[in-house]
Amino acid sequence: MDTFTLITALITISALISYLNTRFIKLPGAIGVMVVSILLSVSILVSGKAMAGFGVFIKDVTSNIDFSKTLLDIMLGFLLFASAFHFDYRKLKEQRKPVLVLSTIGVIGSTLIFGLLLDVITTWLGIDLPLVYCFLFGALISPTDPVAVLSVLKKSKIPPSLETIIAGESLLNDGVGLILFITIGEVAQQEQIFSITHALELFAVEVFGGIALGAVVALITYALTKKIQDFQTIILVSISMVMVISVIGGVLHVSIPLAAVAAGLILGNTSLGAKTAEGLQNYLHQFWELIDEILNTILFVMIGLQIVVLPFIKNYWFIGMLSVVFVLVARGVSIAVPAFLLKRSLKTSVKSITILVWAGLRGGISVALALSLPPSDYKELILSASYIIVIFSIVVQGLTLNKVVDKLVK
């Protein structure tokens, strides 16, 4: 299947699934699209020969898409830039302490707690999964997914301060999660022993390098766009900027997600400087909101359709459901302990912690990282369990978030 045909098929399937959800099922946008995609995948697997032709077509489309590369190298920069572009930096600044704690200490703590819990249960069940791979699993599943989180928060009734904390955390915690994933992955592959110096060096390059790249490219873009009033040219420059960030970020080995977030925050919270800047800014926001919605729909369809190419997922349902519990426990402890120790700074209550735990969704990034793991005896288990966590997170937590908020916030 050539590239154009593949893109055509993916967009057409996404449009059809979006239509079915909007017309008949009527679940919230991204969640509904993923639910329909999952139902379609399950129907194909269950029906067998009854949907043979269509099933082969869906499997062909899905198997020809490199999900990990497509998301991490292409789509993620656009999605994060669009999300950050709409984010109010002033609100983020007000909640900077809890956001920084959750996106650093919270991720590290969650990774360690999840890894230890998983090691205990796999040892007890007689499942061969070394401790280092338990921590590797924890590193890829602990950071909350900004795409999933922000798509759900758009229509939630969560208090504004908590919404800012959750959204800000999800935008910024990829750096720490990625460093942990790369560092632990190197140890797992026995390329080197764990080194704090190496981890800190990697963190500095990825995080600060990514932020610097995003800031520099955004400032150059701002300098160019403030001198013109042509909407089409401004749109082209902004699209080019995101693509340049992805390319240069890959070459320099800095964090593309953080670079996209930094660029989005800068450009989204500055004026274009022209007489018609307000109107152009509104048009620009509308354009990137549209891009965000379209890519979100395609991404959640891709996640849902992954079932047809992960036949081994049925072998790991039990450990996957246990992993769901471990993720929630690990997140709860990693939030509660810093909140208790820094209660004057964080000002979080039991109700707030509960909402923070339940709103910490995992999404496509975790699946993409799991798919990027090199072949090993443990990849199938980690990938299957990651996928089960993502399904539970988006469908169950996403659909019940407003109910949890309504019950706790009165």
Side-chain angles (χ1 to χ4, degrees), residues 47-185:
S47 63
K49 294 182 180 179
M51 296 179 66
F54 184 64
V56 169
F57 172 71
I58 294 295
K59 288 180 180 179
D60 190 33
V61 171
T62 306
S63 61
N64 275 284
I65 298 172
D66 187 335
F67 183 88
S68 181
K69 183 176 179 61
T70 301
L71 175 57
L72 297 178
D73 295 347
I74 301 174
M75 295 178 68
L76 192 57
F78 286 95
L79 286 164
L80 291 183
F81 174 80
S83 298
F85 190 72
H86 303 302
F87 204 87
D88 190 339
Y89 175 74
R90 290 170 297 180
K91 293 181 180 179
L92 180 61
K93 189 175 181 180
E94 291 174 2
Q95 303 295 337
R96 62 185 180 277
K97 289 183 179 179
V99 167
L100 288 175
V101 170
L102 290 179
S103 59
T104 54
I105 298 174
V107 174
I108 296 172
S110 178
T111 298
L112 295 175
I113 295 167
F114 177 88
L116 291 172
L117 289 173
L118 186 63
D119 181 62
V120 170
I121 197 65
T122 51
T123 300
W124 183 65
L125 293 173
I127 298 174
D128 180 25
L129 186 65
L131 179 60
V132 66
Y133 276 92
C134 292
F135 286 138
L136 185 63
F137 188 3
L140 69 87
I141 208 67
S142 288
T144 55
D145 187 288
V147 180
V149 170
L150 295 172
S151 66
V152 171
L153 288 181
K154 286 178 182 177
K155 296 183 180 180
S156 73
K157 300 176 183 177
I158 199 166
S161 59
L162 285 179
E163 180 179 358
T164 300
I165 292 172
I166 295 166
E169 174 205 2
S170 69
L171 286 171
L172 298 176
N173 62 13
D174 291 296
V176 176
L178 185 60
I179 301 309
L180 288 174
F181 179 76
I182 294 174
T183 304
I184 298 173

